[in-house]
């Protein structure tokens, strides 16, 4: 895994701005602390920082290759999980000089052009500069695990793995307009697909690629979820799921550095840990697993509909069942509050408050023991695990199921923004466009029709936010996190599996449980879904309340230029109990979000225009 950035122009010489490029490189050094490189040509500056995982000595970047009189240079962030299959095909035309997947990506592009992405199974964002053709090819993986932002000045394209890296370039204004304000108050911590929040910054969409040349930027979709008739019995479907999931996990265990797993005691991380432990045992190795909990959570935890039980007893069950080298990371309230700012630095935007901060703390600790970790993200989106898939009333509500709070959110818009932004239309239009974009079949029942919409909504919004969080918090810590359930083959197949199978025996992710039942003890196999753990310590609410009150006492704070002071003061009375972002963000997290927003505005000197 790595950080990539660059600037391309066909009207000015790009070799004269080394100090700018070095600043951009420095801003992403956490993504790649092991090696760094910059290549400059007349048209292009290509910048890289590397986290070395495969072929540590041979995978240096930027990497160049000459074929005849043509020269190609790549900057690449990602991992290919079908590297060996591609190597065998490429060896018919090229002599491969390294064992790195970077060389495989580069020579795949040279051999197959833009169609190379159709052959990749992996997570990636990359740019290939074709010196002879004077153009750059940009691509992002199908699911959107790896980020790729860009800014088009009209005669120059600037791109980077992260927003904070782009903002180091002087051509990019640190401004938010009405769209940015709407994203921050009405949509955050999610983002409209392709939107970078900062005025003019966009993101290459998952499953998109294209060229930047003298004719400008031309991007196109190369992959999306497709609907097709699937006529299999439940047993055949379970067999297929078992084969896909096991293959994905095993492929993603390949590494030249130590691999470990996240372990929450839930179905998804437990399955991955079980398969990983088995594979490592066959190699005579012991799997390291990592879990997070909060100081005094056993004292303050309260059951709820969304969080029926806490994690520790299930984690201990799995660690004992697998005989792993298990590590507990216990977070106390002061550390959690103090990490809110660092989480903004990592994400480049205000995010999910303590949910981000605790993940950053966890990743920091894991990095002390290893460089690669596997995580269970995205199984809920793909297999239908969330409450909004299974609760008929929530499922059929015409709007984002995790954010039924537009009326509440718009009360936080500053008066001038509230007068200019139609909050209901902004949110509903985004929802409707995504739902309508879901590919359906004319033979779909009303239920299956809606389930395709729900899957597309989750893919484009909720899942992207969780992937943003996992990528930024882990890479800020120099840790590569792989997500086996994000294998596009699993996503393609499950999109066409009937809901009756996914909800087998009336249990969330019933199909996944049945398909992989031999890998888990019953206690964990049939555990009811529980979301990512949050602190229940009342000290956290007290601490963030005090900090937001201090911000409001500062009459120069930029926060109240964007956000209604009256709404923030009401928030501090603790009378509001509206979910800001599903079960992940309640009152304490909402207060902490505005603390993060204030820090972000100050830290990056954001102007409101």
């Amino acid at each position: 895994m790595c950080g990539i950035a660059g600037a391309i122009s066909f009207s000015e010489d790009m070799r004269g701005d080394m100090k700018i490029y070095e600043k951009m490189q420095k801003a992403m050094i956490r993504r790649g602390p092991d090696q760094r490189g910059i290549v400059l040509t007349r048209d292009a500056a290509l910048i890289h920082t590397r986290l070395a995982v495969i072929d540590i000595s041979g995978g240096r970047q930027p990497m160049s290759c000459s074929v005849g009189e043509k020269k190609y240079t790549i900057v690449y962030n990602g991992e290919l999980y079908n590297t060996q299959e591609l190597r065998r095909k490429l060896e018919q035309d090229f002599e491969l000089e390294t064992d790195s997947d970077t060389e495989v990506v580069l020579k795949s592009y040279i051999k197959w052009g833009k169609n190379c992405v159709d052959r990749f199974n992996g997570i990636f964002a990359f740019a290939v500069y074709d010196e002879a053709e004077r153009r750059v090819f940009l691509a992002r993986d199908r699911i959107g695990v790896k980020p790729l932002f860009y800014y088009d000045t009209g005669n120059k394209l600037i791109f980077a793995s992260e927003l904070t890296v782009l903002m180091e370039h002087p051509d990019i204004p640190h401004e938010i307009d009405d769209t940015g304000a709407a994203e921050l108050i009405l949509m955050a911590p999610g983002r409209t697909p392709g939107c970078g929040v900062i005025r003019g910054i966009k993101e290459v969409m998952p499953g998109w690629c294209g060229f930047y040349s003298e004719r400008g930027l031309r991007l196109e979709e190369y992959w999306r979820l497709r609907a097709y008739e699937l006529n299999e019995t439940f047993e055949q479907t379970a067999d297929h799921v078992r084969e896909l999931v096991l293959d994905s996990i095993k492929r993603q265990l390949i590494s030249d550095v130590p691999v470990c797993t996240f372990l929450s005691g839930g179905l998804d991380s437990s399955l991955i840990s079980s398969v990983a432990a088995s594979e490592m045992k066959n190699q005579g190795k012991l799997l390291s697993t990592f879990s997070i909990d909060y100081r005094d959570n056993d004292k303050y935890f309260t059951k709820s509909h969304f969080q029926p039980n806490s994690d520790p007893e299930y984690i201990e069950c799995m660690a004992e069942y697998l005989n792993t080298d298990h590590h507990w990371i216990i977070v106390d309230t002061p550390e959690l509050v103090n990490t809110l700012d660092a989480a903004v630095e990592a994400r480049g935007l205000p995010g999910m408050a303590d949910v981000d901060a605790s993940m950053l703390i966890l990743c920091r600790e894991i990095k002390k023991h290893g460089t690669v970790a596997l995580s269970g993200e995205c199984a809920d989106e793909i297999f239908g695990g969330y409450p909004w898939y299974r609760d008929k009333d929530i499922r059929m509500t015409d709007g984002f199921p995790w954010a039924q709070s537009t009326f509440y959110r718009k009360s936080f818009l500053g008066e001038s923004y509230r007068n200019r932004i139609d909050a209901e239309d902004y949110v509903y239009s985004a929802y409707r466009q995504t739902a309508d974009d879901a590919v359906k079949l004319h033979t779909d029942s009303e239920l299956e029709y809606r389930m395709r919409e729900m899957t597309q909504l989750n893919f484009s919004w909720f899942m992207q936010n969780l992937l943003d969080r996992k990528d930024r918090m882990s890479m800020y810590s120099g840790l590569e996190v792989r997500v086996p359930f994000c294998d596009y083959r699993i996503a393609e197949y499950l999109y066409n599996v009937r809901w009756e199978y996914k909800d087998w025996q009336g249990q969330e992710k019933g199909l996944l449980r049945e398909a992989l039942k031999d890998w888990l003890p019953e206690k964990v196999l049939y555990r009811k879904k529980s979301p990512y753990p949050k602190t229940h310590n009342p000290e956290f609410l007290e601490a963030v309340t005090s900090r937001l009150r201090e911000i409001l006492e500062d009459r120069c704070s930029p926060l109240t230029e964007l956000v209604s002071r009256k709404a923030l003061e009401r928030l501090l009375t603790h009378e509001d109990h509206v979910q800001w972002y599903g079960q992940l963000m309640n009152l304490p997290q909402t207060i902490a979000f505005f603390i993060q927003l204030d820090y972000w505005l100050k830290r990056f000197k954001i102007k409101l225009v």
Side-chain angles (χ1 to χ4, degrees):
M1 292 300 171
C2 309
I4 67 172
I8 317 297
S9 178
F10 303 103
S11 60
E12 62 179 274
D13 193 324
M14 301 303 293
R15 292 170 290 192
D17 294 324
M18 178 58 87
K19 289 185 178 180
I20 294 172
Y21 307 141
E22 288 175 341
K23 285 181 66 178
M24 294 175 72
Q25 186 181 61
K26 184 178 179 181
M28 62 184 186
I29 198 66
R30 284 178 171 270
R31 289 188 72 91
D34 298 331
Q35 297 166 0
R36 65 186 78 178
I38 298 176
V39 165
L40 301 182
T41 72
R42 181 186 61 183
D43 298 334
L46 299 172
I47 310 162
H48 194 264
T49 61
R50 185 183 182 211
L51 180 66
V53 173
I54 299 290
D55 192 1
I56 295 171
S57 61
R60 292 179 178 273
Q61 297 186 51
M63 180 181 288
S64 296
C65 175
S66 294
V67 179
E69 296 184 356
K70 292 187 175 183
K71 185 176 182 180
Y72 306 85
T73 303
I74 188 173
V75 283
Y76 163 70
N77 168 31
E79 292 289 345
L80 285 190
Y81 304 126
N82 63 334
T83 298
Q84 294 308 314
E85 294 96 315
L86 291 170
R87 286 183 68 89
R88 287 192 287 270
K89 294 178 181 178
L90 292 170
E91 284 170 345
Q92 299 171 16
D93 299 279
F94 301 102
E95 181 179 344
L96 298 178
E97 300 173 0
T98 74
D99 293 325
S100 71
D101 55 345
T102 304
E103 184 181 11
V104 169
V105 173
L106 176 57
K107 289 182 176 174
S108 291
Y109 172 76
I110 295 171
K111 180 176 175 66
W112 294 300
K114 69 177 184 178
N115 296 325
C116 66
V117 291
D118 296 325
R119 298 172 179 266
F120 295 158
N121 178 352
I123 53 179
F124 55 81
F126 66 89
V128 178
Y129 170 54
D130 182 337
E131 194 167 338
E133 296 292 333
R134 300 190 72 194
R135 64 181 185 179
V136 172
F137 178 69
L138 301 170
R140 191 172 177 212
D141 68 74
R142 294 171 177 85
I143 307 292
V145 179
K146 292 289 110 183
L148 185 56
F149 294 93
Y150 67 91
Y151 184 92
D152 191 348
T153 70
N155 63 3
K156 182 188 299 179
L157 184 76
I158 309 164
F159 66 87
S161 294
E162 296 181 359
L163 290 168
T164 53
V165 180
L166 280 181
M167 287 192 285
E168 291 293 337
H169 198 289
D171 288 356
I172 298 177
H174 294 205
E175 299 173 348
I176 58 170
D177 53 17
D178 287 358
T179 297
E183 290 291 319
L184 289 166
I185 305 303
L186 302 177
M187 298 299 198
R191 288 183 291 114
T192 298
C195 177
V197 181
I198 301 291
R199 188 167 69 89
I201 294 181
K202 298 180 181 179
E203 187 174 23
V204 176
M205 302 268 277
W208 283 63
C209 66
F211 291 96
Y212 181 72
S213 66
E214 291 175 288
R215 292 175 292 178
L217 180 64
R218 300 288 185 271
L219 296 174
E220 63 183 42
E221 184 179 62
Y222 71 87
W223 182 87
R224 61 156 49 223
L225 292 171
R226 301 285 184 188
Y228 57 83
E229 292 284 358
L230 183 61
N231 296 308
E232 292 182 344
T233 65
F234 177 78
E235 290 72 20
Q236 290 171 326
T237 304
D239 288 344
H240 200 156
V241 166
R242 185 183 309 110
E243 178 185 340
L244 286 171
V245 171
L246 292 178
D247 182 67
S248 180
I249 296 171
K250 291 174 183 178
R251 283 176 182 268
Q252 297 193 27
L253 288 170
I254 297 171
S255 171
D256 290 343
V257 296
V259 177
C260 58
T261 66
F262 289 75
L263 181 60
S264 71
L267 176 69
D268 313 326
S269 67
S270 296
L271 280 174
I272 291 171
S273 296
S274 185
V275 177
S278 175
E279 290 293 297
M280 295 187 76
K281 184 178 180 181
N282 292 337
Q283 301 169 23
K285 299 177 182 177
L286 188 66
L287 176 68
S288 292
T289 50
F290 293 83
S291 304
I292 191 167
D293 200 9
Y294 301 87
R295 186 79 62 195
D296 294 327
N297 239 26
D298 55 341
K299 178 180 177 181
Y300 294 110
F301 177 79
T302 303
K303 292 182 179 181
S304 69
H305 174 68
F306 291 115
Q307 196 146 14
N309 43 51
S310 57
D311 292 338
E313 66 173 295
Y314 298 93
I315 292 169
E316 290 167 1
C317 172
M318 281 304 302
E320 182 178 350
Y321 179 75
L322 299 176
N323 187 33
T324 67
D325 176 21
H326 190 65
H327 304 260
W328 280 100
I329 288 84
I330 308 299
V331 182
D332 206 354
T333 298
E335 182 183 16
L336 194 59
V337 175
N338 291 336
T339 309
L340 290 172
D341 292 350
V344 175
E345 296 276 355
R347 191 186 270 259
L349 287 168
M352 286 191 285
D354 61 315
V355 181
D356 279 6
S358 59
M359 177 60 69
L360 180 56
I361 293 168
L362 176 58
C363 289
R364 284 175 180 169
E365 292 302 312
I366 295 175
K367 176 61 178 178
K368 295 176 182 178
H369 301 270
T371 303
V372 176
L374 271 61
S375 176
E377 259 81 4
C378 306
D380 286 303
E381 288 84 355
I382 292 170
F383 286 90
Y386 291 123
W388 49 74
Y389 278 104
R390 307 183 67 250
D391 184 310
K392 183 178 179 181
D393 292 335
I394 301 175
R395 184 171 69 218
M396 299 310 294
T397 299
D398 197 22
F400 291 115
W402 54 84
Q404 297 289 315
S405 56
T406 303
F407 183 79
Y408 175 66
R409 281 177 176 247
K410 77 174 183 180
S411 69
F412 287 89
L413 282 168
E415 185 176 359
S416 61
Y417 290 105
R418 197 159 57 244
N419 292 334
R420 296 195 302 267
I421 297 170
D422 186 333
E424 284 81 5
D425 180 68
Y426 190 90
V427 175
Y428 183 76
S429 295
Y431 154 77
R432 194 68 259 166
Q433 180 178 341
T434 305
D436 291 343
D437 196 42
V439 181
K440 299 116 177 172
L441 297 177
H442 73 277
T443 55
D444 284 341
S445 65
E446 181 182 358
L447 174 61
E448 297 298 342
Y449 186 99
R450 181 55 176 166
M451 282 308 186
R452 292 195 195 274
E453 291 187 336
M454 291 292 286
T455 301
Q456 189 65 62
L457 287 164
N458 277 272
F459 252 70
S460 299
W461 291 84
F462 199 79
M463 189 170 81
Q464 291 305 313
N465 180 32
L466 296 184
L467 289 174
D468 276 359
R469 165 180 173 256
K470 183 56 65 71
D471 174 81
R472 306 308 189 276
M473 301 307 132
S474 61
M475 294 303 291
Y476 192 77
S477 307
L479 176 71
E480 174 185 321
V481 175
R482 299 174 179 177
V483 278
F485 286 109
C486 273
D487 189 306
Y488 76 94
R489 300 170 301 164
I490 298 174
E492 285 178 340
Y493 180 67
L494 266 294
Y495 187 66
N496 293 286
V497 170
R498 66 184 71 176
W499 175 247
E500 173 191 356
Y501 289 176
K502 293 179 188 177
D503 195 42
W504 190 248
Q505 297 182 337
Q507 187 167 28
E508 73 269 359
K509 294 181 287 189
L511 169 60
L512 181 61
R513 295 176 197 271
E514 181 65 24
L516 280 302
K517 63 184 179 182
D518 294 338
W519 289 89
L520 297 176
E522 283 200 6
K523 180 176 182 176
V524 175
L525 179 65
Y526 296 111
R527 181 192 179 190
K528 186 174 174 57
K529 176 176 170 52
S530 190
Y532 179 85
K534 301 188 297 291
T535 180
H536 294 267
N537 194 323
E539 291 179 4
F540 180 73
L541 177 58
E542 294 169 11
V544 294
T545 298
S546 175
R547 186 165 166 187
L548 182 56
R549 190 171 284 121
E550 290 175 5
I551 291 170
L552 291 181
E553 289 172 357
D554 178 7
R555 292 290 167 176
C556 297
S557 170
L559 182 65
T560 51
E561 295 179 43
L562 173 62
V563 183
S564 163
R565 175 180 288 273
K566 182 179 179 181
L568 291 172
E569 290 173 343
R570 184 189 70 239
L571 188 65
L572 292 178
T573 67
H574 299 176
E575 295 175 6
D576 293 348
H577 294 282
V578 179
Q579 288 186 334
W580 187 262
Y581 196 71
Q583 68 268 28
L584 291 176
M585 294 183 70
N586 297 312
L587 176 62
Q589 289 75 35
T590 305
I591 294 173
F593 169 80
F594 286 110
I595 293 171
Q596 289 192 313
L597 178 55
D598 176 74
Y599 177 80
W600 180 75
L601 291 167
K602 293 174 180 175
R603 166 67 177 83
F604 296 104
K605 298 181 174 61
I606 304 296
K607 296 180 180 179
L608 308 180
V609 297

